[in-house]
Amino acid sequence: MPAVSLHGITKRFPGVVANDGVEFEAAEGEVHALLGENGAGKSTLSNILTGLYRPDEGTVELYGERVEFDSPRDALDAGICMVHQHFRLVPPFTVAENVILGDHRGEGGRFLVNPRHIERRVAELGERYRIAVDPRARVWQLSLGEQQRVEILKALYREAKILILDEPTAVLTPQEAESLFVTLRAMADEGRTVIFISHKLHEVTAVADRVTVLRGGKTVATVGTADATPQSLASLMVGREVDVATRVPREMTIGDAVLELEGVGATGDRGAEALHDVSLTVRSGEIVAVAGVAGNGQRELAETITGMRPTTTGRIVVGGKALKGGDSREAIHAGIAHVPEDRLHTGVAPSLSIASNTVLKSYRGTHIARGPMLRLGAIKERALHLISSYDVRTSGPNVPARQLSGGNLQKVVLGREFSGEPRVLIAASPTRGLDVSAIETVHRYIREGATGGMGIILISEDLDEILALADRIVVMYEGRIVGELDAETATKDAMGLLMAGVTEPVA
Amino acid sequence: MNNSILVVVLASAVTYGTPLLYSALGELVAERSGVLNLGVEGMMLVGAVMGFWAVQTIPGPGPLVLILSVGVAAIAAGLMALIHAFLVITLRANQIVSGLALTIFAGAGGLSSYLGNDLNLADAPAKHAFGAFFPHGMQTLPVLGPIFFEQNALVFVAWVFVAGVAFYLARTRPGLNLKAVGESPAAADAMGINVTRYRYIHTVVGGAFAGIGGATFSLAITPQWVDGLTQGAGWIAIALVIFAFWRPALCLVGAYFFGAFAGLPFTLQARGVTIAPELFQALPYVMTILVLVTVSAAGARRRLGAPGALGTPYVREER
Ligand SMILES: Nc1ncnc2c1ncn2[C@@H]1O[C@H](COP(=O)(O)OP(=O)(O)O)[C@@H](O)[C@H]1O
Ligand SMILES: [Mg+2]
């Protein structure tokens, strides 16, 4: 009898069918992977299983019994816990407070609570499953990897029988991911059911017993990992044969330095130091990748270079001229283009049309404006040109940007940024959430940009992407550059160690 | 000695600080759940008028009537808060707009004035009022007499409220849940806490506190009903929550501090000192401006320790 079985689950959101008759079964004591591209409906399915969403159709059975969850409380009571993709922790609370939050079994106090009382138990669980965190630390002080441990501790503390983890490795170094897998195996060996969501093939084959593949909201297949290869899973996942991202040889003519950072420091949103003494040179025609676990200063680095965040120390030199910093218009004039991490909110103005978005950076230019008046005809022409040359799939230039799919939106952003003929391009996670064909397109544009003489900084957490695109790799850890590797010879292991802050060779 | 200016000012600080304290505590409770309620002034005025109506209407021995009247004030203001809760929690209206609308609807020139005039409450002396709680002998003690022993029961009950709210937040499970709801409703929801219920309950209870604050004017300080008798105290209470960094104990200190200002014109007048009263009357408005500026600067809010989700509705299936 399966621990979890979902039949014919359908969930619709305005304009999308996120789950379309999904079938899913996971047994007691197994690690069951749920594999699928971004947007395949994995998170939606798990939110249904945890009572956050109500399915429009379909049934949920636990250990052979039909259940209906009205709220997460019901799912928790049934022994289901989930580690969400975006953690559900209360940042100002301590670890112990987060662990007992909502735990109404009365341990640590039914009406009166004393989180202190459970600190010992939390520490013990941490030791036993090799996920120790200081129970008195406040969550906002913890790294993302540690926050994930808190989420798992919550589940262990509640003695969850079924644990769902939604893309848990996105915030981990390869080594941290390995150690997470050990923890998950240990939990499964105790008879729990672990549902592990991912879109990374090698992880799935490494940790899971069986895999269910979702594509476009439908179940494609459930296979044992023993009989699967990364290639066979990849083609199930995208519905056709694909090559896993590979290095494409590129004609390189490396020129002069276009961007130099000299000892740059900056503070983060919380006022703590986010960048410390960062020095980096990018030359014309070169792609420099910045690798690192999310939250180690990459976003602040991009914002500092593009003038969205002031520097506290050091200087930024573009094409031989120092910037005063903290002024995005100055950065644009100096020839710095930016493909931001959050393309929908930072990259475009979502409610404005595609046409308006294409001129957001150049509305002062004489070809677009005459004095204070915009030349709407010229703007439209320009947008049409961008739409055709970048193959943006849309019904026209007046469509609001928010209606574009992720890949097409990214093409608009790239088209706008490239049209200014920049010297330097800062691309932050440019392919996150895109489908395979859109990724190919974005990669092609980045390569072409470099061939055309731009200096490019590629910020990415996807090591495959970095290895496929970069000429040089620098690794960031806690706001510092902790190492530099040649992309030809770099390995994921070497990057992973640096990403964990290990700079000394391990004895 | 008991006539020295310092003692008199301190005594009036406690007297005039008490309604501020009730209302600020109520606003604090609501804001800790993530609901900003700018309707405090309106809720206080409704509490004041309904409390006074009850004291004139309910038959029976004085102490009992007074207790019941405070209850009526709390319920009336709680009902006002319920309107706000429905608008901002269920209908997800903008919290600032809804709160301001509540004050306009319920406040001076609105519902509270209508009720007061319709029920003929103006110019009538109160049948019962909160008087000094301690025996006369103690009131004449030096310094402590006027500041402490001359005060009415509502002053002391307010202290119990401060301690109660502080304890609730720091030591109880519902208090912990409340803080989680105000900080990260998504986290609270995932842990099985009913975000909507917590927000409703604490918004309404917060409103009830404001009603008691209003009744403090009409049943103890004035004690009668005058249109718009709170004179902006509700706005000061909102500002106070911010200056108290959302902590009950600091509310107490802040309330007495502002109470001193509120009481000063009367104190000074009684001694024949005349300072332009406009100076003091402007205070609530200066405070309001400060509040609105602070509340709208999200960065500043965070740094001051505002609940992370203050002012934002929570919708489970929305990203
Ligand atoms: N709360 C929501 N509101 C509207 N659309 C949503 C919501 N959640 C998911 N979707 C849409 O449903 C589809 C599946 O999303 P999701 O389950 O998050 O996929 P995955 O986790 O596999 O990446 C996507 O097209 C996404 O845009
Ligand atoms: Mg997802």
Side-chain angles (χ1 to χ4, degrees):
Chain A
M1 188 198 351
V4 180
S5 64
L6 304 171
H7 297 294
I9 298 286
T10 297
K11 176 74 190 173
R12 301 181 192 92
F13 289 112
V16 259
V17 184
N19 285 162
D20 187 0
V22 173
E23 300 290 323
F24 178 85
E25 272 188 9
E28 247 174 287
E30 81 167 332
V31 178
H32 194 117
L34 190 54
L35 178 70
E37 285 196 280
N38 277 305
K42 307 178 297 289
S43 299
T44 303
L45 190 68
S46 45
N47 284 332
I48 287 171
L49 188 52
T50 50
L52 269 168
Y53 295 174
R54 277 164 152 280
D56 297 317
E57 285 160 36
T59 58
V60 180
E61 281 176 30
L62 297 181
Y63 306 98
E65 269 181 50
R66 172 106 187 248
V67 290
E68 252 177 71
F69 296 149
D70 288 328
S71 74
R73 154 116 298 154
D74 298 340
L76 288 167
D77 289 348
I80 302 177
C81 275
M82 174 156 169
V83 178
H84 289 266
Q85 200 167 353
H86 304 285
F87 299 145
R88 303 239 173 167
L89 295 170
V90 185
F93 280 18
T94 66
V95 170
E97 283 170 339
N98 269 286
V99 168
I100 49 165
L101 185 64
D103 180 38
H104 61 146
R105 293 168 311 164
E107 241 180 289
R110 184 173 290 278
F111 177 71
L112 300 183
V113 267
N114 194 343
R116 286 271 144 111
H117 287 164
I118 65 144
E119 281 171 0
R120 168 120 35 96
R121 173 122 180 81
V122 171
E124 267 167 27
L125 284 172
E127 299 281 310
R128 184 152 109 230
Y129 291 89
R130 306 214 281 155
I131 46 172
V133 257
D134 175 7
R136 292 189 186 178
R138 304 221 167 252
V139 163
W140 64 264
Q141 299 170 319
L142 302 178
S143 73
L144 288 171
E146 289 171 314
Q147 293 185 16
Q148 183 176 74
R149 293 173 165 204
V150 180
E151 288 278 25
I152 298 173
L153 282 170
K154 272 160 62 172
L156 289 168
Y157 181 80
R158 270 153 216 271
E159 284 153 7
K161 288 181 292 186
I162 298 162
L163 176 68
I164 308 166
L165 299 103
D166 195 353
E167 309 219 2
T169 55
V171 297
L172 302 179
T173 63
Q175 285 84 357
E176 284 175 319
E178 281 303 318
S179 116
L180 171 70
F181 295 161
V182 173
T183 303
L184 297 185
R185 276 259 60 105
M187 292 176 74
D189 291 343
E190 292 170 344
R192 303 178 209 258
T193 303
V194 177
I195 299 173
F196 171 81
I197 300 178
S198 180
H199 60 233
K200 297 184 188 164
L201 303 164
H202 61 273
E203 289 176 1
V204 167
T205 47
V207 69
D209 301 302
R210 290 194 297 160
V211 197
T212 294
V213 182
L214 284 188
R215 189 200 320 145
K218 293 192 173 78
T219 309
V220 183
T222 299
V223 292
T225 44
D227 321 319
T229 62
Q231 278 72 22
S232 71
L233 290 177
S235 53
L236 283 173
M237 194 162 98
V238 299
R240 61 187 164 88
E241 297 295 324
V242 283
D243 327 314
V244 185
T246 44
R247 256 190 110 64
V248 177
R250 179 165 60 83
E251 207 160 305
M252 290 206 296
T253 36
I254 306 280
D256 297 336
V258 285
L259 172 71
E260 290 156 277
L261 306 189
E262 294 166 10
V264 169
T267 42
D269 294 337
R270 288 191 174 276
E273 185 179 51
L275 290 182
H276 181 85
D277 193 18
V278 172
S279 296
L280 179 65
T281 301
V282 182
R283 288 164 298 170
S284 155
E286 185 181 42
I287 302 177
V288 178
V290 177
V293 176
N296 274 287
Q298 299 96 314
R299 185 165 61 84
E300 288 83 357
L301 178 67
E303 289 176 356
T304 308
I305 299 173
T306 54
M308 290 158 67
R309 184 179 290 277
T311 52
T312 48
T313 59
R315 44 182 221 146
I316 300 174
V317 181
V318 181
K321 236 182 95 221
L323 303 185
K324 41 181 202 353
D327 178 350
S328 49
R329 203 196 304 178
E330 177 195 49
I332 293 170
H333 283 312
I336 296 177
H338 186 201
V339 176
E341 193 174 356
D342 178 4
R343 65 180 79 95
L344 185 59
H345 295 108
T346 315
V348 297
S351 311
L352 296 187
S353 66
I354 298 176
S356 303
N357 271 295
T358 58
V359 295
L360 278 185
K361 284 193 169 170
S362 49
Y363 60 92
R364 286 190 190 80
T366 48
H367 49 298
I368 293 303
R370 193 180 291 123
M373 311 301 281
L374 291 173
R375 296 170 57 184
L376 296 179
I379 292 174
K380 187 166 172 190
E381 230 163 76
R382 199 173 143 127
L384 284 169
H385 179 69
L386 188 150
I387 288 172
S388 69
S389 52
Y390 283 81
D391 188 27
V392 179
R393 306 283 163 80
T394 173
S395 52
N398 294 325
V399 171
R402 71 163 83 244
Q403 284 180 16
L404 292 176
S405 75
N408 286 307
L409 192 62
Q410 195 68 310
K411 290 180 200 165
V412 171
V413 174
L414 278 168
R416 180 188 68 209
E417 296 299 321
F418 281 12
S419 72
E421 290 169 7
R423 284 200 183 104
V424 179
L425 173 73
I426 314 294
S429 303
T431 59
R432 179 187 289 164
L434 302 189
D435 63 35
V436 178
S437 62
I439 292 176
E440 280 167 13
T441 315
V442 170
H443 283 183
R444 186 160 48 81
Y445 287 133
I446 290 178
R447 287 199 185 93
E448 285 174 7
T451 311
M454 264 183 233
I456 295 179
I457 291 188
L458 167 72
I459 297 175
S460 178
E461 285 140 40
D462 183 343
L463 300 187
D464 292 314
E465 172 168 271
I466 287 179
L467 288 172
L469 279 180
D471 303 315
R472 249 184 331 130
I473 302 167
V474 297
V475 180
M476 285 194 77
Y477 177 71
E478 293 191 340
R480 294 158 200 260
I481 290 185
V482 291
E484 179 168 337
L485 301 163
D486 181 347
E488 292 286 347
T489 55
T491 62
K492 284 194 204 175
D493 277 340
M495 280 196 266
L497 283 175
L498 286 170
M499 282 160 68
V502 182
T503 44
E504 302 293 311
V506 191
Chain B
M1 173 173 209
N2 281 357
N3 264 329
S4 85
I5 184 95
L6 188 65
V7 171
V8 175
V9 167
L10 285 178
S12 79
V14 173
T15 308
Y16 287 95
T18 298
L20 294 178
L21 182 52
Y22 279 113
S23 303
L25 268 184
E27 180 67 10
L28 181 146
V29 167
E31 289 192 14
R32 276 300 185 107
S33 80
V35 176
L36 177 71
N37 188 349
L38 297 184
V40 180
E41 178 78 357
M43 298 188 300
M44 285 180 84
L45 284 167
V46 167
V49 72
M50 290 315 288
F52 193 73
W53 168 78
V55 98
Q56 302 296 67
T57 317
I58 299 174
L64 181 67
V65 171
L66 282 168
I67 291 172
L68 289 176
S69 301
V70 170
V72 168
I75 292 169
L79 286 175
M80 293 293 116
L82 186 61
I83 300 176
H84 180 67
F86 179 71
L87 288 172
V88 304
I89 302 169
T90 303
L91 301 184
R92 284 179 253 144
N94 180 303
Q95 300 190 358
I96 292 179
V97 173
S98 167
L100 289 173
L102 181 59
T103 286
I104 294 168
F105 162 72
L111 182 67
S112 70
S113 311
Y114 169 78
L115 287 172
N117 292 323
D118 201 54
L119 300 169
N120 283 320
L121 300 179
D123 302 328
K127 286 197 181 148
H128 311 281
F130 283 97
F133 187 65
F134 288 98
H136 186 75
M138 298 170 84
Q139 294 169 33
T140 50
L141 288 175
V143 186
L144 279 185
I147 297 176
F148 189 80
F149 295 112
E150 246 178 47
Q151 304 290 352
N152 63 69
L154 288 173
V155 168
F156 307 113
V157 173
W159 297 355
V160 177
F161 274 44
V162 172
V165 171
F167 182 78
Y168 180 76
L169 287 172
R171 287 271 178 271
T172 70
R173 187 168 285 285
L176 188 73
N177 293 352
L178 171 68
K179 288 188 285 183
V181 166
E183 282 296 339
S184 350
D189 189 25
M191 293 334 284
I193 297 164
N194 190 330
V195 174
T196 305
R197 190 196 298 159
Y198 265 84
R199 289 194 164 173
Y200 259 96
I201 291 175
H202 291 90
T203 305
V204 170
V205 168
F209 281 25
I212 301 178
T216 307
F217 278 105
S218 62
L219 301 181
I221 295 178
T222 321
Q224 52 176 312
W225 183 77
V226 184
D227 194 9
L229 79 174
T230 55
Q231 291 193 11
W235 296 111
I236 301 181
I238 295 170
L240 246 173
V241 178
I242 295 168
F243 296 126
F245 307 127
W246 289 265
R247 294 201 176 77
L250 292 179
C251 268
L252 181 91
V253 179
Y256 289 162
F257 180 73
F258 286 111
F261 276 94
L264 216 50
F266 306 106
T267 317
L268 293 180
Q269 234 165 39
R271 314 184 138 237
V273 185
T274 41
I275 294 186
E278 290 83 5
L279 217 61
F280 292 96
Q281 276 159 12
L283 191 67
Y285 303 100
V286 175
M287 305 303 312
T288 311
I289 291 166
L290 277 178
V291 177
L292 290 179
V293 169
T294 322
V295 167
S296 40
R301 260 196 326 204
R302 272 231 147 277
R303 247 170 283 126
L304 289 174
L310 182 59
T312 39
Y314 174 66
V315 193
R316 188 182 277 166
E317 297 206 357
E318 210 162 71
R319 289 179 301 180

